[in-house]
Amino acid sequence: MPIISFGSQDVDLITGKKRMTIRKLWKTPLKEGDRLHCYWNLVSKEKKKIFEAEVTKTDLISFKDLKNNDKLAKQEGYKDSKDMIKDFKKMYVSEINDEDKFQLIYFKKLDVEDWEGEKIDEKSMVVQRADILFDSGKYDKSAICYTAALKFDPKDVYLLNKKGDNLTRLGRFDEALECYDKALIIENNNEYVWNNKAIALLNCEQYEDALIANNEAMKINSKNSLILYWRGFILEVLGRFDDALNVYDELLKIDDKNPEVWNGRGNLLTDMDRPEEALESYDKALELCLDEEDIDATAQNRKGNALLDLGRYKEALTCYDKAIELSDDNIDFILNKGVVLMELNEFQEAMETFTKVLAIAPNNDDARVLREECLENL
């Protein structure tokens, strides 16, 4: 009973696109008609059976002919032959010589009813793999897995929604909307699908349609904090600032411990030219980020902007320094620091700051003009 282990990154196994693998020749070589029991991560705690297959064809190739063969490497799922050989040297502990033989093994996946060994719930296995890939941010691969899972059940609302989430993150908004619309035909009262549709429409710059979708989600659950958050954002984009502020305030009555909401409220108040109140929101957001890793550079920069508007330049400078410490190549943060240094009449340091911007982005007109202004004031 030959057993073959694959890495869990080989998602093309699920779709059937991958039908060949390359292995160092075994003492008893595989032959046409042999049954394969295929697993992911066979020697780890993540071991999982994926399917059984039948060998349809085999070929032999020497390492000498394999090691520079980019075509075969790509068929095996590698970027190129160098990438493949690097992995082979990890896989096979003993030294590989030019005359060593490798076997090209071609196979076809068998229906679960025809398996000899343990049968598994294939849909559950594929969904689990898709969820893991999604949670780790590998959206292109998780989208492939959700598509494969939908072949088992095209009307699974959870899968349609998750596939839409993947496609939204990949910037494929029209395809995402198709998924959400299919899901809503099946389950029209799903607040999360309506909300995700609103987000996709927002990304398509269809703002009024996004609000309509959000309205549908609100009809189902007007106390859902996620739906309220996106409602506030959509209203802000539509220029309905007072309505957006009311939504953020309503949301804070439900959950006043979310730094994202306080940040959103601060941004809105900044746009409304209410810097004192914006600063209070930014301070609250930073206060709620108990873990230093959660205090991101953007939050520090926003607070700096509010302080700059209020003429509290030294405090603004402290915020910009913290933002740059967290993200030292962000041109906007460095420019802001230069501007506040000019307000403090620190023209030499401001000039040096704008010079740093030009070292990163030589064609930045703002940095060039501001640097020249500093030179005139030295």
Side-chain angles (χ1 to χ4, degrees), residues 4-15 18 23 38-51 76-78 87 125-126 128-134 136 138 140-142 144-145:
I4 289 189
S5 178
F6 294 94
S8 56
Q9 73 277 6
D10 290 323
V11 295
D12 284 341
L13 288 164
I14 289 173
T15 63
K18 182 177 175 64
R23 303 294 159 122
C38 302
Y39 287 80
W40 267 328
N41 305 317
L42 185 61
V43 293
S44 81
K45 60 183 179 182
E46 294 181 2
K47 167 187 169 183
K48 187 167 290 291
K49 185 173 183 177
I50 44 178
F51 57 75
E76 183 67 338
Y78 294 100
D87 199 33
M125 178 271 295
V126 175
Q128 184 184 52
R129 175 53 45 191
D131 287 344
I132 290 170
L133 290 165
F134 181 86
S136 59
K138 297 175 181 177
D140 52 346
K141 291 185 176 181
S142 55
I144 291 170
C145 291

Side-chain angles (χ1 to χ4, degrees), residues 153-215:
D153 184 1
K155 295 185 177 182
D156 188 313
V157 171
Y158 172 81
L159 293 175
L160 287 166
N161 186 44
K162 291 295 284 190
K163 182 180 177 183
D165 287 354
N166 273 267
L167 293 167
T168 294
R169 285 164 170 78
L170 292 167
R172 293 157 60 182
F173 304 119
D174 289 339
E175 294 172 74
L177 287 167
E178 286 178 18
C179 290
Y180 297 137
D181 285 339
K182 285 178 183 177
L184 289 168
I185 289 170
I186 300 162
E187 195 176 300
N188 192 250
N189 65 340
N190 190 309
E191 64 203 79
Y192 296 100
V193 179
W194 277 114
N195 189 60
N196 286 337
K197 180 177 180 179
I199 295 168
L201 288 164
L202 183 65
N203 279 292
C204 290
E205 299 183 359
Q206 298 178 38
Y207 306 129
E208 293 290 351
D209 289 339
L211 184 59
I212 290 169
N214 183 268
N215 287 341

Side-chain angles (χ1 to χ4, degrees), residues 148-302:
L150 280 164
K151 290 181 180 177
F152 295 100
D153 184 1
K155 295 185 177 182
D156 188 313
V157 171
Y158 172 81
L159 293 175
L160 287 166
N161 186 44
K162 291 295 284 190
K163 182 180 177 183
D165 287 354
N166 273 267
L167 293 167
T168 294
R169 285 164 170 78
L170 292 167
R172 293 157 60 182
F173 304 119
D174 289 339
E175 294 172 74
L177 287 167
E178 286 178 18
C179 290
Y180 297 137
D181 285 339
K182 285 178 183 177
L184 289 168
I185 289 170
I186 300 162
E187 195 176 300
N188 192 250
N189 65 340
N190 190 309
E191 64 203 79
Y192 296 100
V193 179
W194 277 114
N195 189 60
N196 286 337
K197 180 177 180 179
I199 295 168
L201 288 164
L202 183 65
N203 279 292
C204 290
E205 299 183 359
Q206 298 178 38
Y207 306 129
E208 293 290 351
D209 289 339
L211 184 59
I212 290 169
N214 183 268
N215 287 341
E216 293 298 324
M218 288 287 290
K219 288 177 188 176
I220 300 163
N221 187 356
S222 62
K223 299 299 182 183
N224 185 313
S225 58
L226 184 65
I227 293 168
L228 280 167
Y229 176 82
W230 283 103
R231 184 173 187 80
F233 192 83
I234 293 166
L235 288 166
E236 185 177 354
V237 171
L238 286 167
R240 293 169 56 178
F241 293 157
D242 288 328
D243 291 336
L245 185 59
N246 287 336
V247 170
Y248 284 127
D249 287 342
E250 179 66 26
L251 181 51
L252 289 170
K253 290 177 186 176
I254 298 169
D255 177 14
D256 66 350
K257 303 297 183 188
N258 190 329
E260 290 279 342
V261 178
W262 284 106
N263 263 332
R265 187 175 185 271
N267 294 341
L268 176 60
L269 288 163
T270 298
D271 291 339
M272 296 173 76
D273 293 323
R274 292 161 64 175
E276 287 278 8
E277 294 169 83
L279 184 58
E280 289 175 9
S281 286
Y282 292 138
D283 278 337
K284 189 67 177 176
L286 290 167
E287 175 190 322
L288 289 167
C289 292
L290 300 178
D291 187 340
E292 286 188 10
E293 291 182 3
D294 293 333
I295 303 177
D296 64 12
T298 304
Q300 292 288 358
N301 183 65
R302 289 191 193 113

Side-chain angles (χ1 to χ4, degrees), residues 345-371:
N345 294 322
E346 300 285 349
F347 293 108
Q348 178 65 40
E349 193 176 347
M351 183 195 70
E352 292 169 1
T353 301
F354 295 130
T355 301
K356 287 180 184 176
V357 173
L358 292 169
I360 300 169
N363 297 321
N364 189 290
D365 288 335
D366 290 336
R368 181 177 51 77
V369 170
L370 290 167
R371 184 174 180 275

